[in-house]
């Protein structure tokens, strides 16, 4: 509420002027009446009449119920204070809003609400986030910081990832082609520089080589590698839960649940913070007592990935932690596996207690990869991982032929991994086949009702977002499509021209004609530049396509 101190000052002045006018007998002085009218207009322009409703709407969306609103700030948890600071920023609504990992400490319903709010935000937004689903919804431009350089992509995360991979492939191809050209030129120079009859041509070729604009070798990003093996196959039914519940302090966290999970299913367990998702996983590992029946299928072997990696010994080195868990492995096998998870050289002697969150997660994944379990319980496995490591984990899980039950707030991860979604609330368990998007499509109204807080606001935001999306799809810009078609034709022509030049450059007779070599090399560089420009223009136009995954500029 302190965000609106300046509005309160205007209101206080307005109240004071109202009392002054009330005390005047007869017609108030013109100056007093004019001051009152100006102050009243200023108060209205500042949104004074909507302040209380705006505060309530933001607090509701950020999950501060009436009981929480009565507490002093000093009584709030760290996560609640972070949410409160974000709420103040949203109320302040600056021209430029800078957010650093804004979805941390937020449950899924709150993140959905925040996305809807930011999609309609009138100012500029600069955000750092590892939440790829969030980035896809609220951003239209991505800046990629890598090796001291910054590259701008006119697209959200998903399109950026495709464009970056395409650009990397083009750079590698251009580098390979030029290196082959350089090798042939150097070979020609070496063979002909000392021959009287060909010395002049060799010298000319060397000058052409010196003048050539070199394509820098693309940086090869060091990335993790991970394979997960299921060992042996389990029975067809992997897990049965019958009237299962977890009790704390004499009360059940949720109503008894009945679930059957089949071999090979990848099941996402979702729900509000504190509803008992982690408790279910811990109960399945017998780390927490539970009521009802928990029965694993024939031949099931379970591995558990804890959210904060509590099972790691802080006194161990990285090498000791993995080797003590699997003493039957050789040192070479242990070091190789650690190297695949980016623990190289002296890194293996780091103390586990001094590792960063990301390093601890990678070490836990290294241990997980040796289990050969056919049923994995994963609690927030993408927490602390950078984007490349998340993608490596996703690929490993997609290739894994065992059964997975996992808890996650990472909707992008859920969409890629889940074949089924279980949504847990205190009153019921929703069972939905498919990924996260399919689950939301089927159960949005039920989820919103279960969330209770901010229900009406969430429904309205989702409805408005859907209407806006349909409207955008119906009103695609014909001129933009025509420009794309023309660009595609130009790209096709340039690609043919580039292939033709590359063919000529590969001919032996070209290397014997210095002038042709210089001319073709220069022409190849010009065509490549024009082609890159055409690609960039095409990508920018495609990123504005409201039918694509890219967020339209109007949002």
């Amino acid at each position: 509420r302190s965000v609106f101190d300046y509005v309160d000052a205007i209101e206080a002045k307005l109240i004071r002027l109202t009392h002054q006018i009330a005390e005047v007998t007869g017609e108030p002085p013109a100056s007093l009446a004019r001051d009152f009218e100006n102050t009243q207009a200023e108060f209205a322009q500042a949104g004074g009449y909507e302040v209380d409703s705006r505060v309530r709407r933001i607090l509701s969306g950020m999950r501060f119920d009436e009981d929480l609103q009565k507490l002093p700030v000093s009584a709030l948890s760290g996560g609640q204070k972070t949410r409160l600071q974000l709420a103040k920023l949203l109320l302040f609504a600056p021209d430029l809003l800078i957010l650093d990992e804004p979805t941390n400490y937020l449950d899924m319903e709150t993140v959905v609400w925040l996305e809807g709010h930011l999609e309609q935000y009138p100012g500029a937004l600069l955000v750092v986030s590892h939440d790829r689903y969030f980035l896809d919804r609220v951003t239209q431009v991505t800046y990629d910081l890598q090796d001291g350089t910054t590259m701008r992509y006119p697209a959200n995360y998903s399109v950026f990832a495709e464009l970056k991979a395409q650009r990397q492939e083009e750079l590698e191809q251009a580098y390979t082609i030029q290196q082959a050209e350089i090798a042939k030129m150097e070979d020609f120079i070496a063979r002909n520089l000392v021959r009287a009859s060909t010395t002049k041509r060799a010298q000319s070729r060397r000058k052409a080589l010196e003048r050539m604009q070199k394509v820098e070798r693309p940086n090869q990003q060091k990335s993790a590698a991970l394979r997960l093996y299921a060992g042996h196959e389990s029975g067809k039914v992997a897990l049965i839960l019958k009237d299962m519940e977890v009790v704390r302090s004499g009360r059940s966290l949720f109503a008894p649940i009945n679930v059957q999970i089949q071999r090979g299913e990848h099941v996402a367990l979702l729900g509000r913070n504190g509803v008992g998702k982690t408790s279910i996983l811990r109960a399945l590992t017998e780390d927490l007592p539970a009521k009802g029946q928990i029965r694993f299928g024939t031949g099931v072997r379970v591995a558990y990935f804890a959210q904060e990696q509590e099972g790691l010994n802080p006194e161990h080195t990285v090498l000791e932690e993995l080797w003590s868990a699997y003493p039957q492995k050789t040192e070479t096998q242990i070091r190789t596996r650690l190297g695949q998870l980016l623990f190289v050289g002296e890194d293996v002697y780091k103390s586990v207690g001094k590792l960063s969150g990301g390093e601890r997660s990678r070490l836990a994944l290294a241990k997980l990869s040796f289990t050969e379990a056919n049923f994995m319980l994963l609690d927030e496995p993408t927490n602390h991982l950078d984007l490349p490591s998340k993608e490596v984990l996703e690929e490993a899980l997609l290739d894994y032929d065992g059964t997975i039950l996992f808890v996650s707030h990472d909707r992008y991860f859920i969409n890629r991994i889940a074949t089924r979604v279980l949504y847990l609330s205190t009153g019921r368990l929703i069972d939905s086949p498919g990924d996260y998007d399919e689950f939301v499509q089927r159960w949005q109204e039920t989820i919103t009702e279960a969330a209770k807080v901010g229900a009406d606001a969430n429904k309205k935001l989702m409805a408005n977002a859907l209407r806006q999306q349909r409207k955008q799809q119906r009103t695609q810009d014909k001129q933009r499509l025509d420009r794309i078609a023309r660009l595609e034709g130009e790209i096709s022509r340039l690609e043919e021209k580039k292939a033709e030049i590359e063919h000529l450059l590969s001919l032996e007779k070209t290397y014997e004609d210095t002038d042709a070599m210089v001319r073709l090399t220069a022409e190849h560089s010009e065509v490549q530049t024009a082609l890159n420009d055409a690609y960039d223009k095409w990508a920018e136009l495609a990123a504005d396509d409201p039918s694509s995954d890219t967020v339209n500029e109007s949002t």
Side-chain angles (χ1 to χ4, degrees):
R1 190 61 173 75
S2 63
V3 169
F4 299 108
D5 284 349
Y6 73 101
V7 179
D8 292 342
I10 300 172
E11 184 179 27
K13 180 181 178 182
L14 189 62
I15 293 171
R16 186 172 67 252
L17 291 171
T18 302
H19 289 320
Q20 290 178 8
I21 290 173
E23 291 171 359
V24 174
T25 303
E27 195 73 22
S31 59
L32 183 59
R34 187 166 53 253
D35 196 7
F36 175 81
E37 289 175 3
N38 291 340
T39 304
Q40 190 177 42
E42 184 182 5
F43 182 71
Q45 188 175 6
Y49 297 107
E50 296 87 36
V51 164
D52 290 334
S53 62
R54 286 177 63 189
V55 169
R56 284 195 299 271
R57 185 169 64 251
I58 294 294
L59 285 176
S60 175
M62 295 302 291
R63 305 294 294 278
F64 285 97
D65 58 28
E66 291 186 6
D67 289 338
L68 274 178
Q69 291 177 29
K70 296 172 184 176
L71 293 177
V73 172
S74 59
L76 299 180
S77 68
Q80 290 169 334
K81 288 178 181 176
T82 300
R83 284 194 283 124
L84 183 60
Q85 180 62 31
L86 180 55
K88 288 185 67 176
L89 283 175
L90 296 178
L91 281 170
F92 182 62
D95 296 326
L96 172 61
L97 181 59
I98 302 176
L99 302 176
D100 188 3
E101 298 291 356
T103 61
N104 284 1
Y105 301 107
L106 303 183
D107 58 23
M108 206 169 286
E109 289 86 358
T110 310
V111 174
V112 171
W113 178 88
L114 179 62
E115 288 168 347
H117 186 88
L118 292 177
E119 281 182 327
Q120 303 175 42
Y121 190 73
L125 175 67
L126 176 62
V127 58
V128 171
S129 179
H130 286 76
D131 188 331
R132 295 161 292 177
Y133 202 99
F134 175 82
L135 291 174
D136 275 351
R137 282 201 63 185
V138 305
T139 67
Q140 308 106 8
V141 174
T142 301
Y143 284 92
D144 180 35
L145 278 61
Q146 181 178 316
D147 299 321
T149 62
T150 306
M151 180 65 66
R152 181 186 188 274
Y153 293 83
N156 66 1
Y157 176 81
S158 291
V159 178
F160 145 75
E162 294 176 7
L163 293 176
K164 180 178 179 180
Q166 178 183 330
R167 181 174 181 272
Q168 182 74 9
E169 185 178 338
E170 290 170 355
L171 288 173
E172 290 172 358
Q173 185 179 18
Y175 176 78
T176 300
I177 291 171
Q178 190 180 69
Q179 288 301 302
E181 294 174 7
I182 291 172
K184 288 182 179 180
M185 293 176 73
E186 289 176 340
D187 179 64
F188 180 88
I189 294 167
R191 286 188 290 105
N192 294 279
L193 192 61
V194 294
R195 297 180 184 177
S197 60
T198 56
T199 297
K200 194 169 183 179
R201 278 191 294 163
Q203 288 174 337
S204 178
R205 193 70 56 85
R206 183 164 62 182
K207 289 180 180 178
L209 183 59
E210 291 170 352
R211 290 195 302 268
M212 182 184 292
Q213 185 176 356
K214 302 294 191 301
V215 176
E216 290 188 15
R217 183 170 192 169
N219 289 323
Q220 300 295 326
Q221 286 292 96
K222 185 172 69 171
S223 60
L226 181 65
R227 289 293 302 276
L228 299 171
Y229 300 96
H232 63 275
E233 188 175 77
S234 71
K236 185 177 179 181
V237 177
L239 175 65
I240 296 175
L241 302 180
K242 187 174 181 181
D243 295 327
M244 185 262 196
E245 55 184 316
V246 176
V247 178
R248 279 188 178 175
S249 303
R251 73 174 186 87
S252 294
L253 296 180
F254 44 81
I257 59 177
N258 294 277
V259 172
Q260 188 173 110
I261 296 178
Q262 304 297 313
R263 179 185 64 227
E265 282 193 299
H266 294 180
V267 183
L269 179 59
L270 311 183
R272 292 177 60 185
N273 289 348
V275 76
K277 304 183 297 294
T278 295
S279 296
I280 289 177
L281 297 189
R282 290 181 60 196
L284 295 182
T285 64
E286 300 182 351
D287 186 41
L288 201 65
K291 290 184 176 181
Q293 184 180 6
I294 298 175
R295 189 170 83 235
F296 285 100
T298 305
V300 168
R301 183 178 177 182
V302 177
Y304 177 47
F305 180 97
Q307 184 174 159
E308 298 301 331
Q309 295 84 49
E310 298 90 343
L312 301 180
N313 187 337
E315 303 301 321
H316 279 166
T317 65
V318 170
L319 183 63
E320 289 170 343
E321 179 64 22
L322 191 54
W323 209 350
S324 63
Y326 299 97
Q328 72 276 18
K329 301 291 184 182
T330 66
E331 183 175 358
T332 300
Q333 289 174 315
I334 295 292
R335 283 180 172 272
T336 298
R337 187 57 49 87
L338 289 174
Q340 291 171 340
L341 273 301
L342 305 183
F343 292 102
V344 296
E346 296 299 311
D347 291 344
V348 301
Y349 300 114
K350 282 185 177 179
S351 168
V352 171
K354 295 182 179 178
L355 296 180
S356 68
E359 289 171 328
R360 290 172 63 87
S361 291
R362 285 190 277 112
L363 178 55
L365 289 174
K367 293 183 70 174
L368 191 70
S369 69
F370 271 143
T371 64
E372 297 190 4
N374 53 25
F375 196 131
M376 292 196 177
L377 303 173
L378 310 176
D379 192 2
E380 298 289 357
T382 61
N383 274 10
H384 310 298
L385 294 180
D386 57 22
L387 291 181
S389 297
K390 286 183 181 183
E391 290 165 356
V392 166
L393 174 59
E394 287 165 357
E395 294 301 325
L397 292 175
L398 288 172
D399 291 337
Y400 175 67
D401 57 2
T403 308
I404 305 172
L405 175 61
F406 69 97
V407 172
S408 179
H409 285 78
D410 188 334
R411 293 160 297 164
Y412 200 99
F413 176 81
I414 299 168
N415 257 349
R416 292 204 67 193
I417 304 304
T419 60
R420 178 182 174 191
V421 171
L422 300 176
Y423 185 88
L424 182 67
S425 68
T426 54
R428 64 180 299 192
L429 181 73
I430 297 171
D431 193 337
S432 175
D435 60 21
Y436 174 79
D437 284 342
E438 293 173 277
F439 159 68
V440 170
Q441 189 174 359
R442 287 191 187 96
W443 296 98
Q444 180 59 48
E445 188 171 333
T446 306
I447 300 166
T448 308
E449 179 184 350
K452 294 181 181 178
V453 180
D456 291 337
N458 277 332
K459 268 188 206 175
K460 186 176 179 181
L461 284 171
M462 292 299 293
N464 286 341
L466 287 172
R467 280 197 297 270
Q468 180 70 10
Q469 184 180 14
R470 294 190 188 106
K471 182 179 178 182
Q472 290 169 350
Q473 290 172 353
R474 289 195 299 266
T475 58
Q476 292 184 12
D477 188 345
K478 185 179 182 303
Q479 184 179 6
R480 180 187 58 76
L481 294 177
D482 290 341
R483 289 180 65 193
I484 287 178
R486 288 197 297 272
L487 273 172
E488 287 173 345
E490 176 69 4
I491 287 171
S492 179
R493 185 188 69 78
L494 289 169
E495 285 176 340
E496 290 175 3
K497 182 67 174 175
K498 179 185 173 186
E500 179 185 343
I501 295 171
E502 289 169 354
H503 172 69
L504 292 173
L505 284 169
S506 68
L507 299 177
E508 181 66 29
K509 65 179 182 180
T510 302
Y511 289 94
E512 296 174 358
D513 186 342
T514 304
D515 293 338
M517 185 67 189
V518 172
R519 175 176 54 78
L520 286 171
T521 301
E523 194 173 345
H524 184 276
S525 178
E526 290 173 2
V527 170
Q528 184 65 62
T529 300
L531 191 56
N532 288 340
D533 289 343
Y535 282 144
D536 289 343
K537 290 176 182 176
W538 182 92
E540 186 171 357
L541 288 169
D544 285 337
D545 183 357
S547 65
S548 74
D549 289 337
T550 310
V551 179
N552 188 273
E553 188 173 356
S554 65
T555 62

mmCIF file of all heavy atoms in Angstrom, residues 471-484 541 544-547 552:
data_model
loop_
_atom_site.group_PDB
_atom_site.id
_atom_site.type_symbol
_atom_site.label_atom_id
_atom_site.label_comp_id
_atom_site.label_asym_id
_atom_site.label_seq_id
_atom_site.Cartn_x
_atom_site.Cartn_y
_atom_site.Cartn_z
ATOM 1 N N LYS A 471 -8.375 -14.187 -31.840
ATOM 2 C CA LYS A 471 -8.497 -12.975 -32.645
ATOM 3 C C LYS A 471 -7.248 -12.760 -33.487
ATOM 4 O O LYS A 471 -7.326 -12.409 -34.664
ATOM 5 C CB LYS A 471 -8.724 -11.772 -31.720
ATOM 6 C CG LYS A 471 -8.910 -10.455 -32.473
ATOM 7 C CD LYS A 471 -9.165 -9.319 -31.498
ATOM 8 C CE LYS A 471 -9.298 -7.988 -32.239
ATOM 9 N NZ LYS A 471 -9.504 -6.871 -31.303
ATOM 10 N N GLN A 472 -6.080 -12.966 -32.870
ATOM 11 C CA GLN A 472 -4.827 -12.810 -33.605
ATOM 12 C C GLN A 472 -4.729 -13.804 -34.751
ATOM 13 O O GLN A 472 -4.260 -13.475 -35.841
ATOM 14 C CB GLN A 472 -3.640 -12.989 -32.652
ATOM 15 C CG GLN A 472 -3.484 -11.848 -31.662
ATOM 16 C CD GLN A 472 -2.489 -12.178 -30.568
ATOM 17 O OE1 GLN A 472 -2.053 -13.312 -30.446
ATOM 18 N NE2 GLN A 472 -2.139 -11.189 -29.765
ATOM 19 N N GLN A 473 -5.204 -15.037 -34.500
ATOM 20 C CA GLN A 473 -5.129 -16.068 -35.536
ATOM 21 C C GLN A 473 -6.068 -15.745 -36.694
ATOM 22 O O GLN A 473 -5.788 -16.105 -37.840
ATOM 23 C CB GLN A 473 -5.468 -17.434 -34.934
ATOM 24 C CG GLN A 473 -4.399 -17.945 -33.982
ATOM 25 C CD GLN A 473 -4.814 -19.200 -33.248
ATOM 26 O OE1 GLN A 473 -5.952 -19.629 -33.355
ATOM 27 N NE2 GLN A 473 -3.890 -19.776 -32.507
ATOM 28 N N ARG A 474 -7.190 -15.080 -36.416
ATOM 29 C CA ARG A 474 -8.151 -14.753 -37.471
ATOM 30 C C ARG A 474 -7.730 -13.558 -38.299
ATOM 31 O O ARG A 474 -8.257 -13.330 -39.378
ATOM 32 C CB ARG A 474 -9.537 -14.505 -36.850
ATOM 33 C CG ARG A 474 -10.225 -15.743 -36.312
ATOM 34 C CD ARG A 474 -11.704 -15.469 -36.052
ATOM 35 N NE ARG A 474 -11.886 -14.411 -35.071
ATOM 36 C CZ ARG A 474 -12.050 -14.644 -33.783
ATOM 37 N NH1 ARG A 474 -12.028 -15.871 -33.316
ATOM 38 N NH2 ARG A 474 -12.226 -13.636 -32.939
ATOM 39 N N THR A 475 -6.831 -12.731 -37.757
ATOM 40 C CA THR A 475 -6.478 -11.467 -38.428
ATOM 41 C C THR A 475 -5.003 -11.418 -38.820
ATOM 42 O O THR A 475 -4.322 -10.424 -38.598
ATOM 43 C CB THR A 475 -6.815 -10.284 -37.506
ATOM 44 O OG1 THR A 475 -6.093 -10.446 -36.275
ATOM 45 C CG2 THR A 475 -8.291 -10.209 -37.220
ATOM 46 N N GLN A 476 -4.502 -12.515 -39.362
ATOM 47 C CA GLN A 476 -3.102 -12.540 -39.802
ATOM 48 C C GLN A 476 -2.898 -11.523 -40.913
ATOM 49 O O GLN A 476 -3.718 -11.361 -41.810
ATOM 50 C CB GLN A 476 -2.729 -13.949 -40.298
ATOM 51 C CG GLN A 476 -2.695 -14.978 -39.202
ATOM 52 C CD GLN A 476 -2.235 -16.338 -39.718
ATOM 53 O OE1 GLN A 476 -1.747 -16.439 -40.819
ATOM 54 N NE2 GLN A 476 -2.415 -17.356 -38.915
ATOM 55 N N ASP A 477 -1.760 -10.936 -40.861
ATOM 56 C CA ASP A 477 -1.448 -9.835 -41.764
ATOM 57 C C ASP A 477 -0.991 -10.377 -43.126
ATOM 58 O O ASP A 477 0.059 -11.022 -43.231
ATOM 59 C CB ASP A 477 -0.325 -8.987 -41.130
ATOM 60 C CG ASP A 477 -0.081 -7.715 -41.903
ATOM 61 O OD1 ASP A 477 -0.546 -7.591 -43.043
ATOM 62 O OD2 ASP A 477 0.586 -6.833 -41.340
ATOM 63 N N LYS A 478 -1.787 -10.120 -44.184
ATOM 64 C CA LYS A 478 -1.459 -10.639 -45.522
ATOM 65 C C LYS A 478 -0.143 -10.063 -46.033
ATOM 66 O O LYS A 478 0.652 -10.761 -46.686
ATOM 67 C CB LYS A 478 -2.581 -10.300 -46.503
ATOM 68 C CG LYS A 478 -2.381 -10.910 -47.892
ATOM 69 C CD LYS A 478 -3.537 -10.570 -48.809
ATOM 70 C CE LYS A 478 -3.348 -11.224 -50.172
ATOM 71 N NZ LYS A 478 -2.117 -10.879 -50.829
ATOM 72 N N GLN A 479 0.096 -8.791 -45.730
ATOM 73 C CA GLN A 479 1.339 -8.177 -46.192
ATOM 74 C C GLN A 479 2.561 -8.879 -45.597
ATOM 75 O O GLN A 479 3.559 -9.098 -46.291
ATOM 76 C CB GLN A 479 1.363 -6.692 -45.816
ATOM 77 C CG GLN A 479 2.585 -5.950 -46.332
ATOM 78 C CD GLN A 479 2.545 -4.477 -45.957
ATOM 79 O OE1 GLN A 479 1.675 -4.039 -45.226
ATOM 80 N NE2 GLN A 479 3.495 -3.718 -46.464
ATOM 81 N N ARG A 480 2.460 -9.255 -44.299
ATOM 82 C CA ARG A 480 3.571 -9.953 -43.671
ATOM 83 C C ARG A 480 3.802 -11.304 -44.338
ATOM 84 O O ARG A 480 4.942 -11.709 -44.605
ATOM 85 C CB ARG A 480 3.288 -10.156 -42.177
ATOM 86 C CG ARG A 480 4.403 -10.874 -41.417
ATOM 87 C CD ARG A 480 3.979 -11.195 -39.996
ATOM 88 N NE ARG A 480 2.793 -12.007 -39.982
ATOM 89 C CZ ARG A 480 2.783 -13.311 -40.272
ATOM 90 N NH1 ARG A 480 3.895 -13.916 -40.571
ATOM 91 N NH2 ARG A 480 1.662 -13.990 -40.250
ATOM 92 N N LEU A 481 2.698 -12.003 -44.674
ATOM 93 C CA LEU A 481 2.826 -13.295 -45.331
ATOM 94 C C LEU A 481 3.442 -13.148 -46.727
ATOM 95 O O LEU A 481 4.239 -13.989 -47.159
ATOM 96 C CB LEU A 481 1.462 -13.972 -45.430
ATOM 97 C CG LEU A 481 0.816 -14.381 -44.089
ATOM 98 C CD1 LEU A 481 -0.566 -14.969 -44.321
ATOM 99 C CD2 LEU A 481 1.695 -15.384 -43.355
ATOM 100 N N ASP A 482 3.049 -12.075 -47.429
ATOM 101 C CA ASP A 482 3.638 -11.830 -48.754
ATOM 102 C C ASP A 482 5.137 -11.585 -48.640
ATOM 103 O O ASP A 482 5.930 -12.082 -49.454
ATOM 104 C CB ASP A 482 2.970 -10.624 -49.422
ATOM 105 C CG ASP A 482 1.530 -10.932 -49.830
ATOM 106 O OD1 ASP A 482 1.189 -12.127 -49.922
ATOM 107 O OD2 ASP A 482 0.759 -9.974 -50.051
ATOM 108 N N ARG A 483 5.538 -10.820 -47.622
ATOM 109 C CA ARG A 483 6.970 -10.554 -47.422
ATOM 110 C C ARG A 483 7.720 -11.840 -47.101
ATOM 111 O O ARG A 483 8.838 -12.052 -47.572
ATOM 112 C CB ARG A 483 7.158 -9.529 -46.298
ATOM 113 C CG ARG A 483 6.729 -8.111 -46.674
ATOM 114 C CD ARG A 483 6.948 -7.164 -45.519
ATOM 115 N NE ARG A 483 8.366 -7.040 -45.201
ATOM 116 C CZ ARG A 483 8.831 -6.477 -44.084
ATOM 117 N NH1 ARG A 483 7.978 -6.013 -43.185
ATOM 118 N NH2 ARG A 483 10.132 -6.408 -43.871
ATOM 119 N N ILE A 484 7.101 -12.702 -46.299
ATOM 120 C CA ILE A 484 7.732 -13.985 -45.987
ATOM 121 C C ILE A 484 7.914 -14.805 -47.256
ATOM 122 O O ILE A 484 8.969 -15.411 -47.482
ATOM 123 C CB ILE A 484 6.887 -14.764 -44.952
ATOM 124 C CG1 ILE A 484 7.030 -14.122 -43.563
ATOM 125 C CG2 ILE A 484 7.298 -16.234 -44.883
ATOM 126 C CD1 ILE A 484 6.194 -14.781 -42.483
ATOM 127 N N LEU A 541 10.072 -11.902 -39.075
ATOM 128 C CA LEU A 541 8.684 -11.937 -39.534
ATOM 129 C C LEU A 541 7.956 -13.168 -38.997
ATOM 130 O O LEU A 541 6.805 -13.089 -38.580
ATOM 131 C CB LEU A 541 8.648 -11.933 -41.071
ATOM 132 C CG LEU A 541 9.025 -10.604 -41.740
ATOM 133 C CD1 LEU A 541 9.208 -10.808 -43.239
ATOM 134 C CD2 LEU A 541 7.962 -9.554 -41.475
ATOM 135 N N ASP A 544 6.769 -12.899 -35.504
ATOM 136 C CA ASP A 544 5.573 -12.076 -35.315
ATOM 137 C C ASP A 544 4.304 -12.806 -35.718
ATOM 138 O O ASP A 544 3.216 -12.249 -35.639
ATOM 139 C CB ASP A 544 5.677 -10.786 -36.140
ATOM 140 C CG ASP A 544 6.639 -9.794 -35.512
ATOM 141 O OD1 ASP A 544 6.851 -9.902 -34.292
ATOM 142 O OD2 ASP A 544 7.179 -8.940 -36.232
ATOM 143 N N ASP A 545 4.429 -14.064 -36.151
ATOM 144 C CA ASP A 545 3.270 -14.832 -36.584
ATOM 145 C C ASP A 545 2.430 -15.223 -35.382
ATOM 146 O O ASP A 545 2.874 -15.974 -34.535
ATOM 147 C CB ASP A 545 3.750 -16.086 -37.318
ATOM 148 C CG ASP A 545 2.588 -16.900 -37.872
ATOM 149 O OD1 ASP A 545 1.427 -16.513 -37.626
ATOM 150 O OD2 ASP A 545 2.853 -17.907 -38.556
ATOM 151 N N PRO A 546 1.189 -14.727 -35.261
ATOM 152 C CA PRO A 546 0.371 -15.052 -34.095
ATOM 153 C C PRO A 546 -0.039 -16.501 -34.027
ATOM 154 O O PRO A 546 -0.474 -16.972 -33.005
ATOM 155 C CB PRO A 546 -0.860 -14.137 -34.255
ATOM 156 C CG PRO A 546 -0.920 -13.837 -35.715
ATOM 157 C CD PRO A 546 0.509 -13.824 -36.201
ATOM 158 N N SER A 547 0.102 -17.261 -35.117
ATOM 159 C CA SER A 547 -0.238 -18.675 -35.078
ATOM 160 C C SER A 547 0.929 -19.534 -34.651
ATOM 161 O O SER A 547 0.797 -20.725 -34.466
ATOM 162 C CB SER A 547 -0.716 -19.133 -36.469
ATOM 163 O OG SER A 547 0.340 -19.051 -37.405
ATOM 164 N N ASN A 552 2.991 -12.626 -29.683
ATOM 165 C CA ASN A 552 2.826 -11.506 -30.583
ATOM 166 C C ASN A 552 3.167 -10.201 -29.897
ATOM 167 O O ASN A 552 2.986 -10.051 -28.698
ATOM 168 C CB ASN A 552 1.367 -11.457 -31.081
ATOM 169 C CG ASN A 552 1.164 -10.435 -32.161
ATOM 170 O OD1 ASN A 552 0.914 -9.288 -31.867
ATOM 171 N ND2 ASN A 552 1.288 -10.867 -33.416
#
